[in-house]
Amino acid sequence: MKRLMMIAIMLSTTFLNYANATNYTETKYPIVLVHGFLGFDDIQGYDYFYKIAQKLRQDGATVFTAQISSTNTTEIRGEQLLQQVKQFLALSGASKVNLIGHSHGGPTSRYVASVAPELVASVTSIGGVNKGSKVADLFYSVAPDGTLINTAGATIIGYISKIAQFLSGGSSLPVDPVGALKALTTYKSLAFNKKYPEGVPTTACGEGDPVVISTVNNVQHKVYYYSWTGNRLVTSPKDALIDVPLKAVSLLAFGSSWLGGEDNDGMVGVCSTHLGKVIGTYRMNHVDEINQVLGHTALFLSVPSLYRQHANRLKLQGL
């Protein structure tokens, strides 16, 4: 028994040493984290992707965090991200980037990869609104354009958006809550996919092309596509103020899982998040996917470790 315990300890130590190697997350190209709806890069040092960039940098990754409009159309956010990608490339001396987008950051990153594939090595969508969100659909079913509740809702979201951008130093960025909300609906998402179809599954809940080859100036460029998401709504008692409202919204938008409701992370249906190679579905909700709030997630689940493993995945792929 003692010998077996010693072997187990040696194996676990070897694994930990490997996983914590100084170059474990050292991708060939820089990683760019892209925030979602009502997101920000950081507010006074508090990150939208909570402690994720730091964990990636510890073991070799070069990481940038984009600062784009917290609410706007996918195309406008995409153009903002494209300009930042060019700046990040100039700073790093790299020729491409690995884009990792959460929520609305997923299609925002896809836009850049579609219009400038020569600058993008990979796109990873985390809880991405790739085929629309039933929460956005629900908003417009309850509050159609022109109604008082629609105007009030858009106004409140607009103020929250401006406050988040002011506190994060992005007050000059334009906000468009109506454009953002509509971009996240199923109807607008599917229209967006017709223009920018790369990596999007052609089946209801399947996988998309894991690699898309595009030709720019007679040179072929490969872009790799990945995705993952969550399907657990209440994950930590410390996050009850977030998890319980997410659960309520989920029941309204997606229905009860006991009665055949759609599997979701509280904001986006699992099938809607699929893009390219689907890595997995984990015990987390839409907020947990960015290690919020303050890293309080499901027991025995380390969200930063998922990002680290993915960085290593990109590294081994030569990206």
Side-chain angles (χ1 to χ4, degrees):
M1 180 62 70
K2 289 183 178 180
R3 181 174 295 180
L4 288 175
M5 289 180 63
M6 288 297 297
I7 292 173
I9 292 171
M10 290 174 62
L11 288 173
S12 62
T13 302
T14 301
F15 173 76
L16 289 172
N17 287 337
Y18 172 72
N20 291 304
T22 55
N23 64 348
Y24 182 73
T25 61
E26 189 177 357
T27 55
K28 179 178 180 181
Y29 304 110
I31 291 171
V32 178
L33 301 175
V34 186
H35 67 73
F37 180 75
L38 289 178
F40 49 88
D41 53 352
D42 72 86
I43 294 178
Q44 301 299 312
Y46 183 86
D47 299 323
Y48 176 87
F49 290 88
Y50 186 68
K51 292 189 175 181
I52 290 171
Q54 297 93 316
K55 293 293 185 180
L56 291 172
R57 292 187 183 115
Q58 282 177 5
D59 295 319
T62 298
V63 185
F64 298 99
T65 302
Q67 185 180 51
I68 57 180
S69 291
S70 57
T71 57
N72 219 309
T73 66
T74 306
E75 288 87 347
I76 289 177
R77 283 166 48 91
E79 281 296 318
Q80 294 170 353
L81 178 59
L82 176 58
Q83 295 309 310
Q84 291 205 1
V85 164
K86 292 177 180 178
Q87 294 171 9
F88 296 150
L89 292 177
L91 287 170
S92 65
S95 58
K96 296 185 178 185
V97 296
N98 292 300
L99 297 173
I100 299 180
H102 173 248
S103 190
H104 198 184
T108 302
S109 299
R110 287 170 44 210
Y111 173 87
V112 176
S114 183
V115 301
E118 72 278 12
L119 303 182
V120 180
S122 71
V123 172
T124 302
S125 173
I126 301 171
V129 192
N130 294 310
K131 288 188 177 181
S133 167
K134 286 188 176 180
V135 175
D137 295 343
L138 177 65
F139 175 81
Y140 277 99
S141 68
V142 174
D145 286 332
T147 61
L148 179 61
I149 190 171
N150 179 287
T151 302
T155 300
I156 293 170
I157 292 171
Y159 278 125
I160 295 172
S161 180
K162 289 179 181 179
I163 291 170
Q165 290 186 183
F166 174 77
L167 293 175
S168 62
S171 56
S172 62
L173 293 168
V175 299
D176 181 1
V178 173
L181 285 168
K182 287 188 174 180
L184 299 174
T185 62
T186 299
Y187 173 76
K188 284 290 187 179
S189 294
L190 296 182
F192 178 83
N193 292 346
K194 288 183 179 180
K195 294 181 181 179
Y196 314 103
E198 293 86 354
V200 178
T202 56
T203 57
C205 201
E207 294 186 310
D209 291 332
V211 183
V212 176
I213 300 175
S214 302
T215 302
V216 179
N217 295 327
N218 297 319
V219 177
Q220 289 189 333
H221 297 274
K222 290 182 179 180
V223 179
Y224 289 74
Y225 288 86
Y226 304 91
S227 61
W228 78 73
T229 190
N231 66 346
R232 187 70 61 85
L233 301 176
V234 179
T235 58
S236 170
K238 295 180 180 180
D239 273 354
L241 290 177
I242 297 293
D243 290 3
V244 173
L246 270 179
K247 177 69 173 180
V249 169
S250 171
L251 288 172
L252 289 172
F254 299 97
S256 170
S257 58
W258 293 96
L259 300 174
E262 183 179 350
D263 212 15
N264 67 91
D265 67 359
M267 286 290 167
V268 191
V270 168
C271 294
S272 179
T273 68
H274 286 187
L275 182 76
K277 173 65 178 176
V278 178
I279 296 170
T281 302
Y282 301 98
R283 295 178 299 113
M284 55 188 180
N285 58 41
H286 201 68
V287 178
D288 295 332
E289 290 160 1
I290 50 173
N291 203 34
Q292 297 287 1
V293 176
L294 295 171
H296 296 142
T297 56
L299 193 63
F300 305 123
L301 174 68
S302 171
V303 173
S305 291
L306 295 178
Y307 284 80
R308 293 181 68 256
Q309 291 165 15
H310 187 55
N312 183 254
R313 182 181 293 112
L314 296 175
K315 173 190 173 181
L316 295 177
Q317 189 65 58
L319 306 176

